[in-house]
Amino acid sequence: MWNLGISSSMVHNIIKRFRESQEITACKRQGRKPTLNARDLRSHRRHCIKSRHQRVWSEKDYLFLRKKLASSHVHSHYFKSGVIGSGLAIFSKHRIQDTLLYRYSLNGYPYMAHHGDWFGGKAVGLAVVNIGTLTANFYLTHLHAEYCRERDAYLPHRVVQSWELQQFIRHTSAGADVVVLGGDLNMHPQDLGNKLLTSYTGLRDAYTETDAFDGCEDGLTLILDNPFISQKVIAPFKKGIRIDYILFKGSSKANIQCASMCTTKGSVLGKAFPYSDHEALTAEFRLDVLAPSEAGGDFRTRSHDCAGGDVARLVDILTEARTEVKVGVHCAERMRYTAARTGAMGLALLLLELAIAAVPWLALGAEQAFPLTSFCLLAALCFAILLCTSLLYVFYSMELKSLQGTEDQMRLAVGGLQEKLRGFPVAKLPGCPQPSGGLHVEE
């Protein structure tokens, strides 16, 4: 049996309680595990993958997990990013051949320290693993959190992150036979960023594709009963929400199916607390290695040259995404203008103070108009305003460039898709098969 375990979503300060109880079972797969002997491999050419995901904020937690998993998952890698860390780590039974980390260009705002997303350095990590004769790309990620659904100030950032994530996957998975993405996407299944990611990459949701599911109702990963979750945030969604995912797809060399999936269900058995604020996900996949004669028979991995409906749907999704990014552009422009105006006022006050300070030097015998202490405090305040607004102006300029660059990329992509759509004969559209996994883009 070929068995791979990966981890990338869910353990932070609760790790201390793990140490006390000497238990790490958030990702343990319950029930019977499917096994295959050598004869099965030869006759069915089938492999089995087991995926396990957790978020590891502290590098000390990663070292603790690596020590505990050393007997079963020999190979591991921690993706370092930001100030407090990306929270991404992978533990594998197979040797990790290569790794790559891409940090998203937009990660929130540094002055929103109580949210902490900017300091985490949100990113996507890639680990390349060989499973028998197949090359598997495993992607781990964590997108910006949603703190208020009605007034989501971070929506443009999350849309940009989704765009960069799908680009990263498409451009790095060309030589991969199997692609698996896991992590905290902080998006509901029908959110714009989720549709953009799955439609462009062709990735399929393990929860909707699995043959057997055991876990929270509707696959929820953020449940109302969790004591580590703000009830104000989760209350509008009754039982909870599903924002953690394991997505996958095969290729012309391998067909992949989700055999089973499960999640944790609240509190640890025998304890009064859960492992984390998120429920842990576990998925097991079956891999069918296709013979050369069968390579063109996998419907999901073929090039959908006549899927005009999918192209039209992708155009609509991209147009909606461009609209959200444009909203972010206008907000960034307004905030940059506010920072520039406030900085100009601070500079004017500072120059005025310098002029007042120069009066005794220019007019002999004149006394200082203000007390020295008040004068120094006011000068320090003006300098602090000038410094902060200058830094904010630089930050908003960088944010604006990233948003404008993404909008330009989306505009070019929409143009290319519209040109492709015009090439579909109208008479042939009804007869074209409609795939379930979205558009397959070939570079």
Side-chain angles (χ1 to χ4, degrees), residues 274-289:
Y275 286 102
S276 174
D277 56 338
H278 292 236
E279 300 304 314
L281 284 74
T282 300
E284 294 185 2
F285 298 100
R286 290 191 304 269
L287 281 177
D288 290 321
V289 182

Side-chain angles (χ1 to χ4, degrees), residues 45-70:
R45 300 182 303 277
R46 178 171 294 171
H47 303 292
C48 179
I49 300 178
K50 181 177 178 182
S51 303
R52 304 198 302 223
H53 298 277
Q54 299 177 25
R55 184 165 63 241
V56 186
W57 282 118
S58 171
E59 191 167 355
K60 292 182 180 179
D61 296 343
Y62 161 72
L63 296 175
F64 170 74
L65 290 173
R66 188 178 68 175
K67 180 179 179 181
K68 288 293 182 180
L69 297 172

Side-chain angles (χ1 to χ4, degrees), residues 299-318:
F299 180 76
R300 285 188 174 92
T301 57
R302 286 181 298 178
S303 176
H304 305 305
D305 293 331
C306 58
D310 285 343
V311 177
R313 176 174 174 269
L314 190 53
V315 169
D316 293 338
I317 294 174
L318 271 177

Side-chain angles (χ1 to χ4, degrees), residues 16 203 208 221 233 250 258 280 291 318 338 424:
K16 294 180 180 179
L203 290 170
T208 60
T221 59
V233 175
C258 185
L318 271 177
T338 301
F424 290 112

